[in-house]
Amino acid sequence: MKASAAEGTGEEGTTPPADAAADVAADVAVAVPSAATGGPVSHAIFRVARTHRMIAGQLLRRVGLHPGQELVMMQLWELGPQRQADLVRLLDSDAATMARTVRRLEQAGFVRRCPCADDKRAYLIEATTASHALREQVESLWRQLEDATLANLSPTERAEVLHVLEGLESRLTQAAAQLGA
């Protein structure tokens, strides 16, 4: 992605300016490396995911979060206190990554650990009052990310994109299960 497109997602607005959109459109024609010619869609998914995460990171930095941390917070806001193992399952994460994420959120003051009444070996992770003040901002940032991702698409096209992505996720989940992942 060109610098001007990345700069267009800064603090001044919610979507890249028109000239940045032209730069982004030019980037769509990225040549697929010869080693990836057997998987041009996979290469495109990688590029889209990388760019999406980069923009999400820029937006989330405004509220003191890193990509992925907001997903943990969303689960806690929605479901209330959860055991760390439950967060791993809910977010399809691994224990080490979740432990690191929870520790960083705790250091930032967004979550706290409380002993679990049912299991003396476990702790419940709960959102703090400070994090509840963050919820509206995170929801707004996600709307900005959605708008940047789907700018200029009709409601029908947006629904089609979602349908295709859900199908891709389903097929990849099946493939992962077959691979033993």
Side-chain angles (χ1 to χ4, degrees):
M1 178 176 237
K2 295 184 181 175
S4 60
E7 292 165 3
T9 61
E11 297 175 16
E12 69 278 0
T14 61
T15 57
D19 59 336
D23 289 343
V24 171
D27 284 344
V28 171
V30 170
V32 176
S34 61
T37 56
V41 171
S42 294
H43 192 260
I45 289 170
F46 170 80
R47 292 190 326 267
V48 167
R50 182 189 60 211
T51 305
H52 189 269
R53 185 175 175 88
M54 185 257 320
I55 293 170
Q58 289 176 349
L59 293 170
L60 288 165
R61 258 192 300 278
R62 296 177 188 173
V63 296
L65 294 174
H66 296 281
Q69 291 178 334
E70 84 282 15
L71 299 174
V72 172
M73 296 310 308
M74 288 176 183
Q75 292 297 332
L76 295 173
W77 292 326
E78 188 79 17
L79 302 173
Q82 298 291 309
R83 291 180 315 135
Q84 193 164 301
D86 295 330
L87 290 170
V88 166
R89 182 184 46 77
L90 284 166
L91 294 169
D92 195 23
S93 183
D94 61 82
T97 299
M98 187 58 64
R100 195 169 40 252
T101 299
V102 168
R103 184 176 61 252
R104 289 176 179 161
L105 287 169
E106 188 174 31
Q107 290 169 346
F110 297 134
V111 302
R112 72 176 143 261
R113 298 171 202 250
C114 303
C116 182
D118 302 2
D119 182 353
K120 299 299 179 195
R121 299 168 297 161
Y123 285 89
L124 288 176
I125 311 304
E126 70 176 334
T128 63
T129 303
S131 80
H132 287 288
L134 195 66
R135 183 176 182 163
E136 257 185 56
Q137 293 173 295
V138 169
E139 289 172 355
S140 175
L141 294 173
W142 266 68
R143 283 190 297 276
Q144 290 175 39
L145 183 59
E146 189 83 355
D147 289 345
T149 303
L150 301 173
N152 302 319
L153 293 182
S154 71
T156 301
E157 291 169 320
R158 288 173 180 237
E160 186 176 333
V161 167
L162 182 58
H163 178 73
V164 169
L165 288 171
E166 288 170 342
L168 291 172
E169 180 184 23
S170 176
R171 285 186 288 285
L172 288 170
T173 299
Q174 289 173 3
Q178 290 173 352
L179 293 171

mmCIF file of all heavy atoms in Angstrom, residues 134-169:
data_model
loop_
_atom_site.group_PDB
_atom_site.id
_atom_site.type_symbol
_atom_site.label_atom_id
_atom_site.label_comp_id
_atom_site.label_asym_id
_atom_site.label_seq_id
_atom_site.Cartn_x
_atom_site.Cartn_y
_atom_site.Cartn_z
ATOM 1 N N LEU A 134 -14.218 2.822 27.146
ATOM 2 C CA LEU A 134 -13.565 2.618 25.855
ATOM 3 C C LEU A 134 -14.509 2.006 24.823
ATOM 4 O O LEU A 134 -14.273 2.121 23.617
ATOM 5 C CB LEU A 134 -12.385 1.672 26.099
ATOM 6 C CG LEU A 134 -11.309 1.484 25.102
ATOM 7 C CD1 LEU A 134 -10.517 2.762 24.925
ATOM 8 C CD2 LEU A 134 -10.385 0.378 25.588
ATOM 9 N N ARG A 135 -15.559 1.352 25.269
ATOM 10 C CA ARG A 135 -16.425 0.579 24.376
ATOM 11 C C ARG A 135 -16.971 1.406 23.215
ATOM 12 O O ARG A 135 -16.910 0.967 22.060
ATOM 13 C CB ARG A 135 -17.569 -0.049 25.169
ATOM 14 C CG ARG A 135 -18.445 -0.928 24.304
ATOM 15 C CD ARG A 135 -19.506 -1.632 25.094
ATOM 16 N NE ARG A 135 -20.285 -2.482 24.208
ATOM 17 C CZ ARG A 135 -21.061 -3.455 24.617
ATOM 18 N NH1 ARG A 135 -21.175 -3.719 25.899
ATOM 19 N NH2 ARG A 135 -21.739 -4.173 23.747
ATOM 20 N N GLU A 136 -17.514 2.573 23.490
ATOM 21 C CA GLU A 136 -18.068 3.411 22.415
ATOM 22 C C GLU A 136 -17.009 3.764 21.386
ATOM 23 O O GLU A 136 -17.282 3.774 20.197
ATOM 24 C CB GLU A 136 -18.657 4.696 23.004
ATOM 25 C CG GLU A 136 -20.152 4.692 23.082
ATOM 26 C CD GLU A 136 -20.688 6.026 23.563
ATOM 27 O OE1 GLU A 136 -20.383 7.074 22.956
ATOM 28 O OE2 GLU A 136 -21.423 6.009 24.565
ATOM 29 N N GLN A 137 -15.798 4.051 21.865
ATOM 30 C CA GLN A 137 -14.714 4.399 20.943
ATOM 31 C C GLN A 137 -14.346 3.202 20.066
ATOM 32 O O GLN A 137 -14.133 3.371 18.865
ATOM 33 C CB GLN A 137 -13.491 4.875 21.732
ATOM 34 C CG GLN A 137 -13.710 6.188 22.446
ATOM 35 C CD GLN A 137 -12.536 6.510 23.350
ATOM 36 O OE1 GLN A 137 -12.276 5.806 24.314
ATOM 37 N NE2 GLN A 137 -11.833 7.580 23.018
ATOM 38 N N VAL A 138 -14.278 2.024 20.648
ATOM 39 C CA VAL A 138 -13.944 0.823 19.874
ATOM 40 C C VAL A 138 -15.037 0.556 18.839
ATOM 41 O O VAL A 138 -14.736 0.248 17.679
ATOM 42 C CB VAL A 138 -13.726 -0.394 20.796
ATOM 43 C CG1 VAL A 138 -13.654 -1.692 19.999
ATOM 44 C CG2 VAL A 138 -12.458 -0.204 21.624
ATOM 45 N N GLU A 139 -16.292 0.688 19.238
ATOM 46 C CA GLU A 139 -17.388 0.487 18.295
ATOM 47 C C GLU A 139 -17.297 1.486 17.139
ATOM 48 O O GLU A 139 -17.506 1.130 15.981
ATOM 49 C CB GLU A 139 -18.733 0.602 19.014
ATOM 50 C CG GLU A 139 -19.000 -0.574 19.934
ATOM 51 C CD GLU A 139 -20.233 -0.399 20.818
ATOM 52 O OE1 GLU A 139 -20.856 0.699 20.789
ATOM 53 O OE2 GLU A 139 -20.561 -1.352 21.537
ATOM 54 N N SER A 140 -16.957 2.731 17.454
ATOM 55 C CA SER A 140 -16.797 3.754 16.418
ATOM 56 C C SER A 140 -15.632 3.426 15.489
ATOM 57 O O SER A 140 -15.747 3.561 14.264
ATOM 58 C CB SER A 140 -16.579 5.121 17.069
ATOM 59 O OG SER A 140 -16.307 6.094 16.085
ATOM 60 N N LEU A 141 -14.532 2.970 16.063
ATOM 61 C CA LEU A 141 -13.374 2.613 15.241
ATOM 62 C C LEU A 141 -13.698 1.449 14.309
ATOM 63 O O LEU A 141 -13.259 1.430 13.154
ATOM 64 C CB LEU A 141 -12.172 2.279 16.125
ATOM 65 C CG LEU A 141 -11.606 3.439 16.940
ATOM 66 C CD1 LEU A 141 -10.526 2.940 17.890
ATOM 67 C CD2 LEU A 141 -11.079 4.528 16.039
ATOM 68 N N TRP A 142 -14.455 0.487 14.809
ATOM 69 C CA TRP A 142 -14.843 -0.643 13.954
ATOM 70 C C TRP A 142 -15.754 -0.180 12.821
ATOM 71 O O TRP A 142 -15.667 -0.686 11.705
ATOM 72 C CB TRP A 142 -15.488 -1.760 14.787
ATOM 73 C CG TRP A 142 -14.443 -2.760 15.175
ATOM 74 C CD1 TRP A 142 -13.408 -2.565 16.037
ATOM 75 C CD2 TRP A 142 -14.307 -4.083 14.688
ATOM 76 N NE1 TRP A 142 -12.642 -3.704 16.113
ATOM 77 C CE2 TRP A 142 -13.177 -4.646 15.298
ATOM 78 C CE3 TRP A 142 -15.035 -4.852 13.801
ATOM 79 C CZ2 TRP A 142 -12.750 -5.937 15.041
ATOM 80 C CZ3 TRP A 142 -14.613 -6.148 13.545
ATOM 81 C CH2 TRP A 142 -13.477 -6.672 14.163
ATOM 82 N N ARG A 143 -16.631 0.791 13.081
ATOM 83 C CA ARG A 143 -17.462 1.337 12.002
ATOM 84 C C ARG A 143 -16.581 2.049 10.975
ATOM 85 O O ARG A 143 -16.804 1.923 9.768
ATOM 86 C CB ARG A 143 -18.523 2.292 12.561
ATOM 87 C CG ARG A 143 -19.694 1.569 13.218
ATOM 88 C CD ARG A 143 -20.839 2.529 13.549
ATOM 89 N NE ARG A 143 -20.473 3.551 14.514
ATOM 90 C CZ ARG A 143 -20.500 3.377 15.842
ATOM 91 N NH1 ARG A 143 -20.877 2.230 16.356
ATOM 92 N NH2 ARG A 143 -20.154 4.372 16.651
ATOM 93 N N GLN A 144 -15.560 2.772 11.450
ATOM 94 C CA GLN A 144 -14.639 3.442 10.526
ATOM 95 C C GLN A 144 -13.885 2.423 9.677
ATOM 96 O O GLN A 144 -13.710 2.624 8.465
ATOM 97 C CB GLN A 144 -13.643 4.298 11.309
ATOM 98 C CG GLN A 144 -14.240 5.514 11.958
ATOM 99 C CD GLN A 144 -13.227 6.251 12.815
ATOM 100 O OE1 GLN A 144 -12.073 6.368 12.440
ATOM 101 N NE2 GLN A 144 -13.670 6.745 13.961
ATOM 102 N N LEU A 145 -13.450 1.341 10.296
ATOM 103 C CA LEU A 145 -12.742 0.292 9.563
ATOM 104 C C LEU A 145 -13.667 -0.353 8.530
ATOM 105 O O LEU A 145 -13.261 -0.601 7.388
ATOM 106 C CB LEU A 145 -12.200 -0.755 10.543
ATOM 107 C CG LEU A 145 -11.377 -1.891 9.964
ATOM 108 C CD1 LEU A 145 -10.146 -1.361 9.230
ATOM 109 C CD2 LEU A 145 -10.956 -2.845 11.086
ATOM 110 N N GLU A 146 -14.898 -0.593 8.921
ATOM 111 C CA GLU A 146 -15.894 -1.165 7.991
ATOM 112 C C GLU A 146 -16.123 -0.220 6.824
ATOM 113 O O GLU A 146 -16.168 -0.649 5.662
ATOM 114 C CB GLU A 146 -17.195 -1.438 8.742
ATOM 115 C CG GLU A 146 -18.212 -2.210 7.953
ATOM 116 C CD GLU A 146 -17.990 -3.709 7.983
ATOM 117 O OE1 GLU A 146 -16.985 -4.181 8.535
ATOM 118 O OE2 GLU A 146 -18.847 -4.419 7.431
ATOM 119 N N ASP A 147 -16.266 1.068 7.119
ATOM 120 C CA ASP A 147 -16.483 2.055 6.057
ATOM 121 C C ASP A 147 -15.281 2.128 5.109
ATOM 122 O O ASP A 147 -15.453 2.203 3.886
ATOM 123 C CB ASP A 147 -16.751 3.440 6.645
ATOM 124 C CG ASP A 147 -18.109 3.540 7.320
ATOM 125 O OD1 ASP A 147 -18.975 2.654 7.101
ATOM 126 O OD2 ASP A 147 -18.307 4.496 8.098
ATOM 127 N N ALA A 148 -14.081 2.103 5.659
ATOM 128 C CA ALA A 148 -12.883 2.137 4.815
ATOM 129 C C ALA A 148 -12.791 0.879 3.956
ATOM 130 O O ALA A 148 -12.391 0.934 2.792
ATOM 131 C CB ALA A 148 -11.628 2.276 5.682
ATOM 132 N N THR A 149 -13.190 -0.252 4.512
ATOM 133 C CA THR A 149 -13.110 -1.530 3.805
ATOM 134 C C THR A 149 -14.135 -1.614 2.683
ATOM 135 O O THR A 149 -13.844 -2.137 1.606
ATOM 136 C CB THR A 149 -13.332 -2.693 4.796
ATOM 137 O OG1 THR A 149 -12.362 -2.597 5.844
ATOM 138 C CG2 THR A 149 -13.205 -4.036 4.109
ATOM 139 N N LEU A 150 -15.326 -1.105 2.926
ATOM 140 C CA LEU A 150 -16.430 -1.302 1.985
ATOM 141 C C LEU A 150 -16.888 -0.022 1.304
ATOM 142 O O LEU A 150 -17.979 0.019 0.731
ATOM 143 C CB LEU A 150 -17.609 -1.948 2.720
ATOM 144 C CG LEU A 150 -17.311 -3.298 3.359
ATOM 145 C CD1 LEU A 150 -18.489 -3.769 4.194
ATOM 146 C CD2 LEU A 150 -16.951 -4.330 2.306
ATOM 147 N N ALA A 151 -16.058 1.017 1.345
ATOM 148 C CA ALA A 151 -16.423 2.302 0.754
ATOM 149 C C ALA A 151 -16.928 2.114 -0.672
ATOM 150 O O ALA A 151 -16.387 1.319 -1.444
ATOM 151 C CB ALA A 151 -15.220 3.241 0.765
ATOM 152 N N ASN A 152 -17.982 2.843 -0.989
ATOM 153 C CA ASN A 152 -18.569 2.881 -2.328
ATOM 154 C C ASN A 152 -19.232 1.576 -2.772
ATOM 155 O O ASN A 152 -19.553 1.421 -3.946
ATOM 156 C CB ASN A 152 -17.527 3.307 -3.374
ATOM 157 C CG ASN A 152 -16.940 4.667 -3.066
ATOM 158 O OD1 ASN A 152 -17.652 5.584 -2.656
ATOM 159 N ND2 ASN A 152 -15.639 4.809 -3.226
ATOM 160 N N LEU A 153 -19.434 0.625 -1.870
ATOM 161 C CA LEU A 153 -20.173 -0.581 -2.228
ATOM 162 C C LEU A 153 -21.634 -0.401 -1.822
ATOM 163 O O LEU A 153 -21.931 0.168 -0.771
ATOM 164 C CB LEU A 153 -19.605 -1.808 -1.518
ATOM 165 C CG LEU A 153 -18.200 -2.260 -1.918
ATOM 166 C CD1 LEU A 153 -17.818 -3.523 -1.155
ATOM 167 C CD2 LEU A 153 -18.092 -2.494 -3.415
ATOM 168 N N SER A 154 -22.514 -0.908 -2.659
ATOM 169 C CA SER A 154 -23.944 -0.845 -2.353
ATOM 170 C C SER A 154 -24.255 -1.844 -1.238
ATOM 171 O O SER A 154 -23.458 -2.754 -0.970
ATOM 172 C CB SER A 154 -24.754 -1.208 -3.602
ATOM 173 O OG SER A 154 -24.607 -2.607 -3.880
ATOM 174 N N PRO A 155 -25.413 -1.711 -0.597
ATOM 175 C CA PRO A 155 -25.798 -2.700 0.417
ATOM 176 C C PRO A 155 -25.805 -4.128 -0.131
ATOM 177 O O PRO A 155 -25.399 -5.064 0.562
ATOM 178 C CB PRO A 155 -27.199 -2.243 0.838
ATOM 179 C CG PRO A 155 -27.198 -0.763 0.598
ATOM 180 C CD PRO A 155 -26.363 -0.586 -0.648
ATOM 181 N N THR A 156 -26.214 -4.293 -1.376
ATOM 182 C CA THR A 156 -26.217 -5.628 -1.987
ATOM 183 C C THR A 156 -24.791 -6.148 -2.145
ATOM 184 O O THR A 156 -24.514 -7.315 -1.838
ATOM 185 C CB THR A 156 -26.922 -5.583 -3.362
ATOM 186 O OG1 THR A 156 -28.261 -5.117 -3.169
ATOM 187 C CG2 THR A 156 -26.929 -6.946 -4.028
ATOM 188 N N GLU A 157 -23.889 -5.287 -2.597
ATOM 189 C CA GLU A 157 -22.488 -5.699 -2.754
ATOM 190 C C GLU A 157 -21.860 -6.019 -1.397
ATOM 191 O O GLU A 157 -21.089 -6.974 -1.279
ATOM 192 C CB GLU A 157 -21.688 -4.603 -3.467
ATOM 193 C CG GLU A 157 -22.075 -4.431 -4.922
ATOM 194 C CD GLU A 157 -21.471 -3.177 -5.550
ATOM 195 O OE1 GLU A 157 -21.434 -2.125 -4.871
ATOM 196 O OE2 GLU A 157 -21.041 -3.269 -6.717
ATOM 197 N N ARG A 158 -22.183 -5.226 -0.379
ATOM 198 C CA ARG A 158 -21.663 -5.480 0.963
ATOM 199 C C ARG A 158 -22.127 -6.849 1.460
ATOM 200 O O ARG A 158 -21.349 -7.603 2.031
ATOM 201 C CB ARG A 158 -22.105 -4.382 1.932
ATOM 202 C CG ARG A 158 -21.398 -3.061 1.704
ATOM 203 C CD ARG A 158 -21.970 -1.941 2.563
ATOM 204 N NE ARG A 158 -21.266 -0.701 2.319
ATOM 205 C CZ ARG A 158 -20.654 0.017 3.257
ATOM 206 N NH1 ARG A 158 -20.691 -0.359 4.516
ATOM 207 N NH2 ARG A 158 -20.015 1.117 2.936
ATOM 208 N N ALA A 159 -23.393 -7.168 1.226
ATOM 209 C CA ALA A 159 -23.927 -8.468 1.641
ATOM 210 C C ALA A 159 -23.239 -9.593 0.876
ATOM 211 O O ALA A 159 -22.934 -10.654 1.441
ATOM 212 C CB ALA A 159 -25.439 -8.512 1.418
ATOM 213 N N GLU A 160 -22.962 -9.358 -0.398
ATOM 214 C CA GLU A 160 -22.289 -10.376 -1.213
ATOM 215 C C GLU A 160 -20.855 -10.607 -0.723
ATOM 216 O O GLU A 160 -20.396 -11.744 -0.635
ATOM 217 C CB GLU A 160 -22.289 -9.949 -2.684
ATOM 218 C CG GLU A 160 -21.739 -11.009 -3.610
ATOM 219 C CD GLU A 160 -21.845 -10.604 -5.079
ATOM 220 O OE1 GLU A 160 -22.744 -9.818 -5.434
ATOM 221 O OE2 GLU A 160 -20.999 -11.096 -5.861
ATOM 222 N N VAL A 161 -20.153 -9.525 -0.398
ATOM 223 C CA VAL A 161 -18.790 -9.661 0.134
ATOM 224 C C VAL A 161 -18.818 -10.491 1.411
ATOM 225 O O VAL A 161 -18.009 -11.413 1.584
ATOM 226 C CB VAL A 161 -18.152 -8.270 0.398
ATOM 227 C CG1 VAL A 161 -16.889 -8.385 1.234
ATOM 228 C CG2 VAL A 161 -17.855 -7.558 -0.919
ATOM 229 N N LEU A 162 -19.747 -10.189 2.302
ATOM 230 C CA LEU A 162 -19.858 -10.933 3.549
ATOM 231 C C LEU A 162 -20.156 -12.407 3.277
ATOM 232 O O LEU A 162 -19.552 -13.293 3.882
ATOM 233 C CB LEU A 162 -20.935 -10.317 4.445
ATOM 234 C CG LEU A 162 -21.116 -10.965 5.807
ATOM 235 C CD1 LEU A 162 -19.822 -10.942 6.619
ATOM 236 C CD2 LEU A 162 -22.240 -10.271 6.570
ATOM 237 N N HIS A 163 -21.056 -12.671 2.357
ATOM 238 C CA HIS A 163 -21.413 -14.055 2.011
ATOM 239 C C HIS A 163 -20.197 -14.813 1.472
ATOM 240 O O HIS A 163 -19.931 -15.953 1.879
ATOM 241 C CB HIS A 163 -22.554 -14.053 0.992
ATOM 242 C CG HIS A 163 -22.952 -15.408 0.533
ATOM 243 N ND1 HIS A 163 -23.654 -16.298 1.332
ATOM 244 C CD2 HIS A 163 -22.726 -16.048 -0.647
ATOM 245 C CE1 HIS A 163 -23.842 -17.416 0.669
ATOM 246 N NE2 HIS A 163 -23.298 -17.294 -0.531
ATOM 247 N N VAL A 164 -19.450 -14.195 0.579
ATOM 248 C CA VAL A 164 -18.253 -14.842 0.012
ATOM 249 C C VAL A 164 -17.220 -15.102 1.098
ATOM 250 O O VAL A 164 -16.640 -16.191 1.178
ATOM 251 C CB VAL A 164 -17.663 -13.991 -1.143
ATOM 252 C CG1 VAL A 164 -16.282 -14.495 -1.551
ATOM 253 C CG2 VAL A 164 -18.604 -13.991 -2.339
ATOM 254 N N LEU A 165 -16.995 -14.107 1.970
ATOM 255 C CA LEU A 165 -16.023 -14.290 3.048
ATOM 256 C C LEU A 165 -16.449 -15.394 4.011
ATOM 257 O O LEU A 165 -15.614 -16.188 4.464
ATOM 258 C CB LEU A 165 -15.811 -12.975 3.807
ATOM 259 C CG LEU A 165 -15.037 -11.901 3.043
ATOM 260 C CD1 LEU A 165 -15.073 -10.582 3.794
ATOM 261 C CD2 LEU A 165 -13.616 -12.341 2.780
ATOM 262 N N GLU A 166 -17.731 -15.473 4.328
ATOM 263 C CA GLU A 166 -18.217 -16.546 5.206
ATOM 264 C C GLU A 166 -18.002 -17.909 4.558
ATOM 265 O O GLU A 166 -17.636 -18.874 5.223
ATOM 266 C CB GLU A 166 -19.694 -16.321 5.560
ATOM 267 C CG GLU A 166 -19.896 -15.172 6.522
ATOM 268 C CD GLU A 166 -21.357 -14.778 6.701
ATOM 269 O OE1 GLU A 166 -22.212 -15.149 5.854
ATOM 270 O OE2 GLU A 166 -21.654 -14.080 7.688
ATOM 271 N N GLY A 167 -18.220 -17.997 3.247
ATOM 272 C CA GLY A 167 -17.972 -19.249 2.527
ATOM 273 C C GLY A 167 -16.499 -19.623 2.547
ATOM 274 O O GLY A 167 -16.141 -20.797 2.755
ATOM 275 N N LEU A 168 -15.632 -18.633 2.321
ATOM 276 C CA LEU A 168 -14.187 -18.883 2.377
ATOM 277 C C LEU A 168 -13.781 -19.367 3.760
ATOM 278 O O LEU A 168 -13.014 -20.323 3.908
ATOM 279 C CB LEU A 168 -13.404 -17.625 2.012
ATOM 280 C CG LEU A 168 -13.471 -17.151 0.560
ATOM 281 C CD1 LEU A 168 -12.803 -15.794 0.408
ATOM 282 C CD2 LEU A 168 -12.840 -18.173 -0.373
ATOM 283 N N GLU A 169 -14.295 -18.709 4.794
ATOM 284 C CA GLU A 169 -13.961 -19.111 6.160
ATOM 285 C C GLU A 169 -14.411 -20.545 6.430
ATOM 286 O O GLU A 169 -13.671 -21.334 7.027
ATOM 287 C CB GLU A 169 -14.615 -18.161 7.167
ATOM 288 C CG GLU A 169 -14.311 -18.530 8.609
ATOM 289 C CD GLU A 169 -15.024 -17.662 9.614
ATOM 290 O OE1 GLU A 169 -16.064 -17.057 9.270
ATOM 291 O OE2 GLU A 169 -14.540 -17.590 10.760
#
